[in-house]
């Protein structure tokens, strides 16, 4: 019987599935075949992911509980039941994280000459260096915050490292005129320097002390007239989601800026604290911040493992890191004197980070800004860096008198401040800046260049699965398309007119737009495969995404499986579908790839009985993407480019080293779809293929074979 949406027992919970994904990230930190400092990096990523999870997802669960919501979600769990399961799972993962670092990684770091020292154990030269650093760089920034009848409980910053100091006043202080306090809080000033302070050491070794230990070691210089009874580090995580309740009379820019200020004042959803913190102080923290048992996370050693990324960044030790894989040139662009001439000849597929983002996408926008024949540039900006070369090129284009329109999405979570800064800066140079739509985030990735040529106006397009962000382009795997096909140009013209002027676009030729069309189009294509299977024809789908959450699409995939459609899923993160369940999803296989690059491309392939269709998209299969965001999907019209993408996807489906097969409960069953397959690491194999296609012989000789077994 067909159900409109799956029954609760047929869905995995979204939050718990995300935690399963993070456990897979931790597996990379546990993997002894991964270089040591890369394992440290992955452990840091785990903690950063948890930070965001608490600030957004756990905070959202608490808001539901506080609102008195007791109705179960699609998976059958009430908010309270979900919070209990989330808390139990993260507490177990946290214990596993501490054990991994202190019992395994820290000894291996010390064996490699990398030591994090206690200031009490420094030699004379190191001690003098640390004291000088404390007095010059830390002491001027420190503000002890006393707690007593005259000093209220202080506001502790979100994710700030704070020392809680228990004090005992000396007798002469008690007899003096100044009030005495027995408790003080110190925000460790980590904003101007790494938490890991490098200290002088012998050649070949690398010694560090942590800033909180430096402050802790010199407390006597801060609290004259007191005896320090104890000092422990704590860290609070606050509700930092940014629900923008828009008033039509308010400017969206102002609304988001006010929301950023409110974020600093969010409710506490997690307290991390060092073991040994006294019961009276812990009770005070619980009372003042209105904490529940689920919010408490005792720690040993590092209170914030996310800061290990700073240690990773300070160590230039290639033998302890991944072998460099420098971005390669795009063959069609490498020898092209003019990028527009190259695009005119044929569609060009871009595969980042294997191919250079700077020499393709950034070059596309820069040449458009400089080219006197270019009349207009229009593009979407979702996440931009503070020094974005793409945004800077738009500035130059406007200064040269070109028509420039930038759709800057101010509500890109945790990148709002950078986007606001660029929005103001672009406006000053004459760029037409649009701050998004009132009720929908603009998440699509598109750039349109309008050029005057001998034959008339010609339009050039870039569409992609990832952001116009040069930093993430080196870390995320994404696919883009450069094309001068007239139908794509007309589609993007209509898209930008809709985004800037709220015009209703005519029918699009190629692109599929959410929320209007994309979900319906995906349903139609899934149904087409179901119809092929019912007619006895071969039917298959390969869907690659970051998250699979949408219940309606999951239900259709279950229906496809029951009808005999072969479904291969590559889902990096959250997957609410239960694969491999007899009678429900036995024809669905789900793979999750975790490796050095973050798998970020969305690829939706439908076999269509020998007339295959391959779509690239900015959208994951989630209700928020399909129903509440402006997203794009677009077909690879050139069959050669579609074949290149599917060759890459097939490699990923056979990844036996970094591809985890997911089971019905979201667990990892084994590596690789078929354990009998030969060893294959898809990201390195894709890089090798890209290297050969680029024809960079000198680089091939320099790198040598990456690994004979992959």
């Amino acid at each position: 019987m067909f159900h409109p949406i799956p029954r609760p027992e047929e869905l995995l919970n979204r939050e718990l599935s995300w935690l399963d994904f993070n456990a897979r990230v931790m597996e990379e930190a546990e993997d002894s075949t991964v270089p040591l400092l890369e394992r440290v990096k992955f452990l840091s990523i785990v903690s950063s992911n948890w930070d965001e999870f608490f600030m957004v997802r756990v905070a959202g669960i608490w808001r539901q509980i506080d609102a008195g919501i007791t109705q179960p979600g699609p998976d059958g769990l009430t908010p309270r039941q979900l919070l209990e399961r989330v808390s139990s799972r993260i507490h177990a993962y946290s214990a596993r994280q501490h054990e991994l670092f202190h019992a395994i990684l820290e000894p291996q770091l010390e064996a490699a000459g990398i030591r994090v020292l206690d200031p009490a154990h420094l030699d004379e030269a190191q001690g003098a260096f640390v004291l000088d650093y404390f007095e010059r760089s830390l002491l001027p920034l420190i503000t002890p915050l006393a707690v007593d009848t005259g000093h209220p409980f202080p506001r502790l910053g979100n994710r700030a490292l704070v020392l809680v100091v228990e004090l005992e006043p000396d007798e002469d202080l008690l007899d003096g005129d100044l009030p005495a306090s027995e408790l003080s809080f110190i925000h460790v000033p980590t904003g101007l320097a790494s938490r890991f302070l490098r200290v002088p050491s012998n050649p070949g070794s690398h010694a560090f002390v942590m800033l909180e230990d430096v402050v802790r070691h010199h407390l006597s210089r801060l609290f004259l007239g007191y005896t320090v009874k104890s000092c422990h580090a704590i860290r609070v995580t606050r509700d930092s989601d940014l629900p923008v309740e828009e008033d039509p009379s308010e400017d969206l820019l102002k609304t988001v800026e006010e929301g950023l200020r409110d974020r600093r004042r969010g409710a506490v959803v997690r307290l991390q604290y060092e073991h040994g913190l006294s019961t009276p102080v812990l009770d005070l923290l619980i009372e003042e911040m209105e904490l529940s048992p689920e919010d408490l996370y005792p720690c040993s050693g590092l209170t914030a493992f996310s800061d290990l990324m700073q240690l990773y960044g300070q160590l230039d030790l290639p033998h302890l890191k991944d072998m460099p894989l420098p971005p390669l040139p795009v063959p069609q662009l490498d020898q092209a004197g003019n990028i527009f001439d190259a695009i005119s000849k044929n569609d060009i597929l871009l595969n980042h980070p294997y191919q250079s983002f700077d020499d393709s996408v950034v070059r596309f926008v820069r040449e458009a800004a400089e080219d006197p024949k270019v009349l207009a540039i229009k593009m979407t900006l979702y996440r931009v860096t503070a020094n974005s070369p793409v945004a800077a090129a738009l500035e130059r284009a406007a200064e040269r008198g070109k028509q420039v329109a930038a759709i800057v999405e101010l509500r890109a979570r945790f990148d709002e401040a950078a986007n606001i800064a660029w929005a103001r800066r672009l406006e000053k140079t004459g760029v037409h800046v649009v701050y998004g739509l009132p009720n929908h985030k603009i998440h699509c990735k598109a750039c349109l260049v309008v050029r005057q040529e001998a034959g008339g106006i010609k339009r050039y397009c870039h569409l992609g699965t990832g952001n116009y962000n040069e930093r993430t382009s080196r870390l995320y795997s994404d696919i883009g398309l450069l094309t001068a096909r007239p139908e794509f140009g007309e589609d993007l013209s209509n898209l930008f007119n809709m985004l800037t002027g709220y015009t209703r676009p005519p029918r699009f030729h190629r692109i599929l737009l959410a929320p209007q069309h994309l979900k319906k189009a995906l349903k139609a294509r899934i149904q087409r495969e179901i119809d092929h299977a019912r007619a006895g024809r071969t039917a298959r789908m390969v869907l690659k995404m970051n998250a699979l959450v949408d219940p309606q699409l999951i239900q259709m995939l279950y229906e496809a499986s029951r009808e005999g459609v072969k479904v291969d899923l590559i889902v990096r993160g959250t997957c609410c579908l239960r694969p491999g369940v007899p009678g429900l999803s036995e024809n669905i296989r789900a793979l999750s790839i975790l490796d050095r690059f973050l798998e970020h491309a969305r690829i939706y392939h439908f076999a269509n009985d020998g007339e295959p269709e391959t779509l690239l998209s900015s959208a994951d299969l989630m209700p928020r993407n399909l129903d509440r965001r402006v997203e794009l999907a677009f077909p690879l019209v050139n069959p050669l480019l579609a074949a290149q993408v599917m060759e890459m996807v097939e490699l990923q489906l056979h990844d036996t080293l970094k591809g985890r097969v997911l089971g019905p409960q979201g667990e990892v069953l084994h590596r690789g779809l078929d354990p009998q397959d030969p060893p294959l690491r898809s990201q390195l194999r894709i890089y090798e293929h890209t290297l050969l296609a680029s024809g960079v012989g000198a680089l091939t000789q320099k790198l040598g074979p990456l690994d004979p077994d992959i």
Side-chain angles (χ1 to χ4, degrees):
M1 181 179 177
F2 185 87
H3 298 277
I5 61 172
R7 293 184 291 266
E9 63 270 19
E10 296 173 347
L11 285 175
L12 295 173
N13 176 268
R14 172 183 173 178
E15 324 300 350
L16 298 179
S17 177
W18 189 93
L19 291 177
D20 288 337
F21 153 69
N22 217 48
R24 299 193 292 272
V25 178
M26 196 183 299
E27 284 184 5
E28 290 297 293
E30 295 169 331
D31 189 343
S32 61
T33 67
V34 175
L36 178 58
L37 287 178
E38 301 299 333
R39 298 173 70 183
V40 170
K41 179 188 73 175
F42 277 112
L43 199 61
S44 172
I45 292 171
V46 168
S47 288
S48 295
N49 287 348
W50 284 344
D51 284 350
E52 183 170 341
F53 183 72
F54 273 95
M55 290 188 291
V56 178
R57 306 309 306 178
V58 174
I61 299 171
W62 267 118
R63 285 197 295 273
Q64 293 181 56
I65 293 172
D66 293 341
I69 295 174
T70 58
Q71 182 179 353
D75 49 85
L77 294 176
T78 67
R80 170 54 67 179
Q81 290 171 330
L82 176 57
L83 180 68
E84 291 170 355
R85 295 195 187 188
V86 164
S87 176
S88 174
R89 194 167 295 190
I90 296 186
H91 275 92
Y93 287 154
S94 181
R96 176 174 155 189
Q97 181 189 51
H98 281 79
E99 175 70 15
L100 171 62
F101 182 75
H102 293 301
I104 298 175
L105 296 183
E106 194 170 33
Q108 291 186 18
L109 288 169
E110 291 184 1
I114 303 166
R115 301 184 65 198
V116 180
L117 303 173
D118 185 327
H121 300 154
L122 300 177
D123 62 30
E124 184 176 349
Q126 291 171 331
F129 173 85
V130 169
L131 174 60
D132 179 67
Y133 184 84
F134 172 78
E135 292 183 335
R136 285 188 302 104
S137 301
L138 295 182
L139 187 58
L141 299 175
I142 291 174
T143 304
L145 302 172
V147 177
D148 54 33
T149 56
H151 297 84
F153 190 85
R155 174 76 182 182
L156 304 181
N158 182 35
R159 292 186 290 174
L161 196 61
V162 178
L163 294 178
V164 184
V165 187
E166 292 187 272
L167 302 165
E168 182 175 324
D170 296 344
E171 290 295 330
D172 59 342
L173 185 64
L174 291 172
D175 295 335
D177 296 329
L178 293 175
S181 175
E182 296 181 352
L183 188 65
S184 187
F185 291 83
I186 298 173
H187 280 79
V188 178
T190 57
L192 297 179
S194 169
R195 184 182 173 194
F196 295 88
L197 174 65
R198 186 188 285 269
V199 298
S201 58
N202 296 325
S205 64
H206 309 271
F208 299 86
V209 292
M210 292 192 291
L211 288 191
E212 66 266 33
D213 289 338
V214 173
V215 176
R216 198 182 334 230
H217 188 66
H218 297 96
L219 286 176
S220 60
R221 296 175 178 268
L222 280 170
F223 296 104
L224 301 177
Y226 286 89
T227 299
V228 176
K229 293 169 58 180
S230 72
C231 179
H232 294 86
I234 66 171
R235 184 175 184 260
V236 301
T237 311
R238 296 184 178 274
D239 180 346
S240 296
D241 202 6
L242 190 62
V244 179
E245 298 179 3
E246 295 164 17
D247 183 332
S249 65
E250 291 286 334
D251 179 75
L252 181 57
L253 182 63
K254 179 181 177 182
T255 303
V256 173
E257 285 183 311
E258 291 175 350
L260 286 175
R261 290 192 291 271
D262 290 340
R263 176 179 285 172
R264 297 173 60 86
R265 298 188 289 271
V268 176
V269 292
R270 178 178 58 169
L271 171 66
Q272 297 166 283
Y273 60 95
E274 287 182 328
H275 283 292
L277 186 69
S278 70
T279 300
V281 172
L282 181 58
D283 289 343
L284 174 67
L285 295 171
I286 292 172
E287 178 183 0
E288 291 288 344
M289 294 186 284
E290 300 180 346
L291 302 174
S292 297
E294 295 90 350
D295 305 326
L296 305 178
Y297 287 82
C299 306
S300 58
L302 284 169
T303 310
F305 283 91
S306 53
D307 292 336
L308 285 171
M309 191 66 79
Q310 300 173 11
L311 182 66
Y312 174 91
Q314 290 187 72
L315 291 166
D316 184 18
L317 300 173
H319 64 290
L320 298 180
K321 294 186 177 183
D322 281 330
M323 180 183 65
L325 298 179
L328 301 166
V330 180
Q332 300 95 316
L333 301 179
D334 193 32
Q335 303 300 322
N338 182 295
I339 195 169
F340 302 108
D341 291 343
I343 300 171
S344 291
K345 293 176 182 177
N346 215 333
D347 293 349
I348 299 174
L349 190 72
L350 309 175
N351 192 3
H352 312 300
Y354 309 101
Q355 293 178 319
S356 171
F357 181 82
D358 290 341
D359 294 340
S360 55
V361 177
V362 175
R363 178 184 171 188
F364 177 62
V365 184
R366 279 178 172 164
E367 286 198 20
E370 302 289 343
D371 190 333
K373 295 181 180 179
V374 169
L375 306 176
I377 306 172
K378 304 179 182 184
M379 72 184 305
T380 60
L381 296 175
Y382 188 73
R383 296 190 189 276
V384 289
T385 60
N387 299 309
S388 169
V390 169
L394 296 182
E395 273 190 311
R396 290 196 299 275
E399 290 168 350
R400 284 163 172 73
K402 303 180 190 300
Q403 291 291 318
V404 183
I407 318 297
V408 182
E409 179 50 72
L410 299 181
R411 295 160 295 186
R413 184 178 287 148
F414 303 121
D415 282 309
E416 298 95 343
N419 287 8
I420 287 172
W422 268 114
R424 292 194 182 283
R425 183 171 160 181
L426 290 171
E427 281 183 320
K428 290 180 180 178
T429 58
V431 175
H432 301 296
V433 178
V434 176
Y435 299 135
L437 299 176
N439 299 312
H440 296 83
K441 280 188 180 181
I442 298 177
H443 191 249
C444 56
K445 330 295 182 185
C447 179
L448 173 68
V449 172
V450 181
R451 194 167 184 260
Q452 177 69 59
E453 299 184 358
I457 295 289
K458 189 165 184 177
R459 290 175 282 208
Y460 296 84
C461 309
H462 174 268
L463 303 100
T465 66
N467 297 307
Y468 292 108
N469 185 305
E470 75 284 357
R471 184 184 65 83
T472 57
S473 74
R474 297 189 289 269
L475 305 172
Y476 294 9
S477 72
D478 275 302
I479 300 177
L481 176 71
L482 291 169
T483 181
R485 292 179 184 266
E487 63 270 29
F488 277 100
E490 185 174 336
D491 281 354
L492 288 196
S493 288
N494 290 329
L495 169 68
F496 282 108
N497 288 342
M498 184 196 79
L499 295 179
T500 60
Y502 298 164
T503 64
R504 183 180 296 275
R507 184 180 66 86
F508 291 113
H509 300 287
R510 294 293 187 184
I511 68 173
L512 301 169
L513 186 67
Q516 291 93 332
H517 315 298
L518 179 53
K519 191 171 184 176
K520 293 178 183 177
L522 291 172
K523 285 182 175 180
R525 284 157 176 78
I526 296 172
Q527 186 62 49
R528 186 175 64 190
E529 296 300 319
I530 293 173
D531 293 342
H532 285 315
R534 286 173 176 166
R537 296 185 288 268
T538 301
R540 185 190 184 210
M541 290 179 279
V542 184
L543 310 176
K544 181 179 187 294
M545 69 212 82
N546 300 313
L548 174 56
V549 176
D550 189 89
Q552 296 177 23
L553 292 180
I554 289 174
Q555 179 59 48
M556 290 199 70
L557 293 176
Y558 285 154
E559 183 71 11
S561 173
R562 284 190 285 258
E563 294 294 339
V565 180
K566 300 298 182 183
V567 182
D568 285 316
L569 302 174
I570 304 177
V571 187
R572 187 197 76 225
T574 303
C575 181
C576 295
L577 178 147
R578 294 181 182 270
V581 177
L584 178 70
S585 57
E586 66 266 34
N587 287 311
I588 301 177
R589 305 183 298 176
L591 197 72
S592 178
I593 297 174
L594 272 296
D595 203 346
R596 62 186 293 169
F597 301 134
L598 184 84
E599 291 292 336
H600 194 250
R602 293 86 164 187
I603 304 167
Y604 304 125
H605 174 80
F606 305 90
N608 192 25
D609 191 33
E611 298 182 13
E613 184 177 18
T614 303
L615 304 174
L616 302 181
S617 182
S618 62
D620 291 308
L621 302 188
M622 305 176 71
R624 74 178 188 192
N625 296 84
L626 300 173
D627 301 330
R628 300 189 296 276
R629 288 185 174 184
V630 178
E631 303 272 14
L632 278 185
F634 55 95
L636 291 174
V637 180
N638 186 323
L640 293 178
L641 300 190
Q644 289 177 31
V645 168
M646 290 312 298
E647 180 183 14
M648 177 191 72
V649 171
E650 293 293 347
L651 280 175
Q652 293 179 326
L653 287 172
H654 292 86
D655 191 319
T656 57
L657 299 180
K658 298 296 183 180
R660 284 98 164 153
V661 176
L662 303 183
Q665 303 301 322
E667 76 279 22
V668 174
L669 298 180
H670 48 75
R671 300 290 180 101
L673 290 176
D674 186 347
Q676 303 304 315
D677 281 346
L680 188 147
R681 186 174 172 186
S682 60
Q683 289 190 355
L684 293 190
R685 183 65 63 82
I686 292 168
Y687 187 83
E688 285 187 328
H689 285 195
T690 309
L691 186 64
L692 292 173
S694 69
V696 188
L699 184 57
T700 307
Q701 293 177 359
K702 179 181 178 182
L703 290 174
L706 298 182
D707 190 324
D709 296 325
I710 57 171

